[in-house]
Structure formats: structure tokens, C-alpha cells
Amino acid sequence: MSTRIESRSTAVAVDGEIVAPKTSSRASRDRKWRLKVSIGQVVAILAILAIWQGISGAIIPAYLISSPTSVISDTITLLQTHTMWTDISVTAQELILGYAIGVVFGILVGVLMGSIKFLSGVFEPIIAGINGIPKIALAPLFLLWFGLGIWSKVAQASMIVFFVMYYNVYMGMLSISPMLVKLFQVMGAKRGYVARKVVLPSLSIPIFAGLKASVPFAMIGVIVGEFIAADKGVGYFVLQATQQFDSAGLFSGIIIMVAMVLIGMRIVTFCQNRVLFWQKQGHGR
Amino acid sequence: MLEFRNVTKRFETPGGQEVNVLQDVSFTVDDDEFCVVVGPSGCGKSTLLNLALGLVPVSEGQIIHNGKVVESIVSSDVGYITQDANLLPWSTVLDNIMSPLEIRGVPKAERRAQAMEWAEAVGLGKFVDFYPGQLSGGMQKRCSIARTMAYDPAMIYMDEPFGPLDAITRTVLQETLLNLWQTRRKTILFITHDLVEAIALGDTVIVINGQPGSVKARIPIPLSRPREIRHLAADTEFVELHTKIWSYLEPGVESMA
């Protein structure tokens, strides 16, 4: 499957002829450019780390900003402890559950509101109003409702993710080409066929936009929940480290959070490349 | 057979005023006739097609399609080819051509074979695995023609299908369409603002003009078939028809342009 797609993307059709892909000199120029950018990135990151290392202790006290070397050694030590992995697995559970629930409800409500005019007439302003609440302010309420365990964090994350997904899908529903739908109706397509073959694929772009944007938002929800009240989790660990002026531990915790978000984003991107393969090729022309 | 009986269409403007777009339009399209409606932009040509397909309701009068009054979307045995190709961008050329066959429940192997045949017929045989985004505008249009021909509707409605194409591609596609039509006769209602196209393709040209638009003339095109579209401009009969149809378009055209 994937090899077939690759072979397609290397050639472009122009009325009756197959035009060769980029010439080799252009390809090698591209490769050189990419190499140059990569080297630049590595140098920039190394420079930032070197400055950080240099000012740590010398200009700013180490307990405030730690230093790259101690953060790295701390992270390595932490990852060898059992408690850190418990924290990671709790946060991961909260993240996945919160994300999944928010995504499912966001898509459902978005599709319903986009297909039934009466519903969107009634509920659009209500949803907009609820979205106006700074959702972090609801954290104490979720704690009250769902207790100290993972569910208050799941609720917080899914609340935030829901709105990101909902707005993406709802706008996606409104942007489906009415002409395409009419054409399929004239062709004799029933509702189910139009939904499967026209509406759902049309929604794949806004859905993936929402899925991507939601990953870091889900993490914000989880961490806020853990900051308010928790006895496990990466957010809880970071809070503990802060209270003990353990800035190396704090940075380690943040690095672990970033790593979790990046892994989540990679998974979404991987799925996106499988589903939206048709889209990439459209931009060449 | 398609019949317009004293059809009038009114739209309400955002300001609440009523504006007549089409006024008392009557004409018939016989079975297997290639009927072209020509008129300047803004005369209600596309509205006329939307009415015939039941996509919008008439204000007065009746449209009768195969003995039945059109009251909702016409979806039996009709094809619709629009100005944009309106292909599914996430499906390959072959899948696009197969979709109406899939809707009709044609078994998979059979619909593949049929779609393949039509892809060949419109010159897309080598591109069945391509996605619409990889094709030129002309090839996308070929694909949409193949998609419609594949399920063999008795009547095809075409709304300025070659409008967005360049002159050369347009001529080639007009010839392709005529060749397909010659081998497999269908009733066609073809909307265009291009006089040359109207004469080149049609058995009959219906001239619509004015605001609201109304039928100004019904002109039979006696040019013999098959026609060589690229050489028509030199044909004296063609030139006469061209001049004649222009005379019906002349009044009011300046103010519309």
C-alpha cells in the first residue's frame, strides 16, 4: 500500500503525459539545504545550552535555573526509579482518557450541530458561552465532583479538548461543498452513502487539525488537575520539586511532559499520513 | 423528454424585494436531442438547470421530465456535469468513475471493468490510479464526463462544463463529448455562454436573453454530423448561424456586460 502511494507521488500528470519528478541536481540542492538547516539547528541548541551552563551558578544561582548537565543527570537517575514510572503511567492514563473522551464528544457534537440546523440555532450560543469560561477555573469543581484520583484530571483534560475538537468539526461541517453533495444526490446517492463517501472524508482535514491541536491542550488539563490536588503524576512531581527548590527535578519533569506530548503528536501525525495521503499531492499543482 | 411549461422563477433579495430571474420560459427537449441553451451571464441559464434538476423549486409553471412533474431532486436516470469537475479529491480517478456504479449496486468486478472502459474512452487509461489533485483541469473534466457516462443515464444536464478551460483544451473536449454522444445517444441539455460552442455541439440552440431571462429564439442547427469543431469557423453555414444568433443576443447585452 505505502509503496504504491510513493510511486504515485513521484510523477505528475499533465494532459496525456507523465512529467518526470524533480531533476537530480534540484534534489541534491534540496538535500544540501536540508543538511545546512539541520546543522544550524544543532549549533543553535548547543549555543543555548552552553549559555545556560555558563550563567548557572556564575550569574544566576543554580537553585533557580539549575544547569543542563545536572538536568540531564537528574533525568537519567529519575528514569531509573520506580516512582517516576508510576508518575509517568498515571499522567499517561489521564492524558489518553481525557484526550479520547474529549475527541469523541467533540466530533459527535460537532457533526450533530453541523447537520441539524435547529440544534445549532439553539445550542451554538450556549456552547460559545460555556467556552467563555476559563476552563482552568473549573479544576476545583472537577475535584469536588470526581475526587482526588485520575478522573478529576481526565475531566479537566477532556473539557478543554472537547472545545478544540467541537469547533474544528463544526466549522468543517459548514465548509462541506453543497455542490458536491447535490451532485451525488442527482447521481442517486442515499444519505448513508453521502455521509460515508462525501461528508466523512471532507471532515478528515478539520478532524486531524483538531487532533493535533488537542494533544498539548490535553496535557495542560492533566497538569492543572495534578497541580490542584494529586498524589501521583508528573505534574504532582513537578510541584513537589518546586516546593523543595529542586530546580533540576523541575526541569526534568518538564522534559518528561514535553516528551509525552511529542510522542502523542507523532502518533497523530503517523495516522494523519495514512489517512490524508491524497491531500499532500494536491498542492504540487 | 423534458418540457418547460411557462416557467417563472422569482428570488427574494436580501432586502425583501422579489426579483424575477426567468419569465414565462417554455421549450421542449426531445429524446436523444442535443439541446444547447445560450445566453449572456446573468440571464438565468444556470437557474434554469437547477430548476430542471429539482434543486430549486419553480415559482410558476411546470417542468415535466419523462411525463412526471419535477417537484424534488431528480435522481433517476439523469447525469449532471458541473462547471467545476466536483470529483472526490480523496478517491483515485478509477474510484471516482466507479462511485455512481457503486451507488447502483453494480458488483465490484463489473464496476471496475466498466469504469476502466470509460477511463480509456475519455483518454485517462494511464491515469486511473491518480488522484484528482494530480490532474490538470482538462483531465479532471474528462474524469467527471467518464463518471457520468459510466452509469449510462438517458439524460445529461451540463452547466457550462468547459467554461473554466483554455480554448485548445475546450475544443478537444468538445470533440470528445461529441464522439461519445455519437456512439451512445443521450438527451443533453447543455448550458453555455459561448456561441461557438453552442452551434458546434447542438441540434438545437435556445437563446435566452434579458432580465428576467426569457426564450428569444429556438434555432435548429442543420450542420451535418460528425462535425469537425476545430475547422467550423471557416464554414459559411456556421458563420451565418453565428450572425443570426448574435442578433438575438444583441439587445441589452451592452448593459449586462
Side-chain angles (χ1 to χ4, degrees):
Chain A
M1 176 79 186
S2 67
T3 53
R4 259 181 75 207
I5 292 161
E6 273 168 31
S7 73
R8 269 189 215 124
S9 64
T10 54
V12 165
V14 179
D15 260 326
E17 274 174 78
I18 297 179
V19 174
K22 291 174 189 165
T23 56
S24 60
S25 77
R26 167 112 182 260
S28 87
R29 231 184 314 148
D30 279 1
R31 217 174 311 126
K32 265 186 203 151
W33 171 252
R34 272 200 303 272
L35 186 70
K36 228 161 110 180
V37 170
S38 305
I39 293 172
Q41 284 169 339
V42 172
V43 170
I45 292 168
L46 286 177
I48 292 168
L49 290 177
I51 294 169
W52 183 6
Q53 187 78 37
I55 59 175
S56 172
I59 302 173
I60 302 172
Y63 71 86
L64 286 182
I65 59 166
S66 189
S67 70
T69 46
S70 41
V71 170
I72 290 166
S73 67
D74 234 53
T75 309
I76 293 168
T77 330
L78 276 171
L79 287 176
Q80 283 158 353
T81 64
H82 182 68
T83 48
M84 191 69 240
W85 282 105
T86 315
D87 285 335
I88 290 175
S89 92
V90 168
T91 298
Q93 270 181 54
E94 294 163 349
L95 190 67
I96 292 166
L97 282 170
Y99 183 77
I101 294 172
V103 163
V104 169
F105 278 95
I107 292 176
L108 273 179
V109 176
V111 169
L112 275 177
M113 298 277 282
S115 40
I116 306 170
K117 220 175 170 189
F118 178 73
L119 271 188
S120 63
V122 173
F123 287 104
E124 231 283 287
I126 298 176
I127 293 180
I130 298 174
N131 190 31
I133 303 171
K135 276 157 285 289
I136 290 171
L138 295 176
L141 193 67
F142 289 136
L143 186 65
L144 197 65
W145 288 352
F146 301 107
L148 278 167
I150 65 165
W151 291 104
S152 53
K153 290 84 186 171
V154 170
Q156 181 72 54
S158 56
M159 175 85 176
I160 300 178
V161 169
F162 168 81
F163 284 98
V164 177
M165 281 314 286
Y166 160 73
Y167 274 111
N168 269 291
V169 173
Y170 179 53
M171 292 302 155
M173 287 292 286
L174 299 186
S175 67
I176 292 172
S177 156
M179 202 59 217
L180 198 56
V181 173
K182 277 180 187 167
L183 191 93
F184 270 81
Q185 286 172 330
V186 171
M187 263 192 235
K190 300 277 177 287
R191 275 181 86 98
Y193 190 89
V194 174
R196 265 185 306 122
K197 298 287 175 149
V198 182
V199 175
L200 194 65
S202 299
L203 286 181
S204 57
I205 295 174
I207 284 178
F208 273 106
L211 286 176
K212 266 196 168 163
S214 293
V215 177
F217 278 112
M219 190 53 120
I220 291 176
V222 166
I223 300 303
V224 165
E226 290 182 353
F227 278 2
I228 297 287
D231 53 8
K232 286 187 200 74
V234 183
Y236 167 76
F237 170 82
V238 165
L239 198 65
Q240 293 284 304
T242 313
Q243 283 161 359
Q244 293 158 10
F245 287 95
D246 172 14
S247 59
L250 193 153
F251 278 111
S252 301
I254 291 173
I255 287 173
I256 290 168
M257 289 177 192
V258 171
M260 292 175 77
V261 169
L262 290 182
I263 291 170
M265 300 280 274
R266 287 282 337 158
I267 295 171
V268 176
T269 307
F270 175 78
C271 299
Q272 180 183 350
N273 290 342
R274 308 229 108 195
V275 176
L276 296 187
F277 53 85
W278 52 270
Q279 194 207 359
K280 253 196 279 176
Q281 297 157 348
H283 294 302
R285 300 182 60 85
Chain B
M1 202 177 92
L2 179 76
E3 189 182 355
F4 273 66
R5 276 191 205 151
N6 308 99
V7 171
T8 294
K9 179 62 189 173
R10 269 188 292 279
F11 281 118
E12 202 173 304
T13 64
Q17 285 167 304
E18 293 211 320
V19 176
N20 279 17
V21 185
L22 289 169
Q23 182 82 49
D24 200 24
V25 170
S26 296
F27 66 92
T28 54
V29 184
D30 288 326
D31 286 344
D32 294 344
E33 184 183 356
F34 200 131
C35 176
V36 182
V37 174
V38 68
S41 59
C43 74
K45 305 185 297 289
S46 289
T47 304
L48 191 130
L49 207 58
N50 288 332
L51 293 171
L53 280 163
L55 297 173
V56 288
V58 297
S59 304
E60 277 167 43
Q62 274 184 329
I63 297 168
I64 293 141
H65 177 249
N66 285 341
K68 268 188 281 183
V69 179
V70 172
E71 279 167 333
S72 57
I73 293 184
V74 181
S75 63
S76 60
D77 218 15
V78 290
Y80 184 23
I81 296 177
T82 50
Q83 198 163 4
D84 297 315
N86 270 313
L87 302 169
L88 298 177
W90 41 83
S91 297
T92 61
V93 165
L94 195 67
D95 285 335
N96 267 292
I97 301 175
M98 284 198 295
S99 54
L101 301 172
E102 191 183 4
I103 291 167
R104 279 163 183 71
V106 177
K108 195 162 186 188
E110 200 177 318
R111 66 174 183 252
R112 251 196 109 73
Q114 281 183 35
M116 214 42 224
E117 214 172 286
W118 279 107
E120 298 278 356
V122 297
L124 286 178
K126 276 189 272 174
F127 303 100
V128 286
D129 285 333
F130 280 61
Y131 287 87
Q134 296 171 290
L135 304 179
S136 67
M139 295 169 84
Q140 293 186 12
K141 188 60 64 173
R142 287 167 188 278
C143 183
S144 76
I145 292 173
R147 174 175 65 182
T148 305
M149 297 300 280
Y151 66 100
D152 199 23
M155 174 138 198
I156 299 182
Y157 296 90
M158 305 181 100
D159 189 4
E160 299 190 35
F162 306 138
L165 303 175
D166 64 273
I168 298 167
T169 311
R170 197 187 310 148
T171 307
V172 173
L173 278 180
Q174 286 163 352
E175 291 180 347
T176 309
L177 177 67
L178 275 193
N179 288 337
L180 293 176
W181 181 74
Q182 221 96 47
T183 50
R184 205 179 275 227
R185 287 285 170 138
K186 294 181 178 309
T187 315
I188 294 185
L189 183 61
F190 189 107
I191 307 284
T192 183
H193 55 250
D194 182 344
L195 257 185
V196 177
E197 180 170 74
I199 302 166
L201 297 177
D203 293 322
T204 314
V205 171
I206 290 170
V207 184
I208 294 209
N209 199 2
Q211 271 174 334
S214 58
V215 177
K216 300 298 178 205
R218 185 178 203 283
I219 299 160
I221 306 295
L223 297 175
S224 64
R225 293 184 189 271
R227 298 176 186 165
E228 277 217 41
I229 295 177
R230 52 189 88 180
H231 300 131
L232 267 185
D235 188 309
T236 48
E237 216 179 346
F238 170 85
V239 177
E240 274 168 29
L241 284 163
H242 195 271
T243 316
K244 185 173 170 193
I245 295 176
W246 245 117
S247 69
Y248 291 105
L249 288 171
E250 217 108 38
V253 157
E254 314 279 325
S255 68
M256 285 173 130

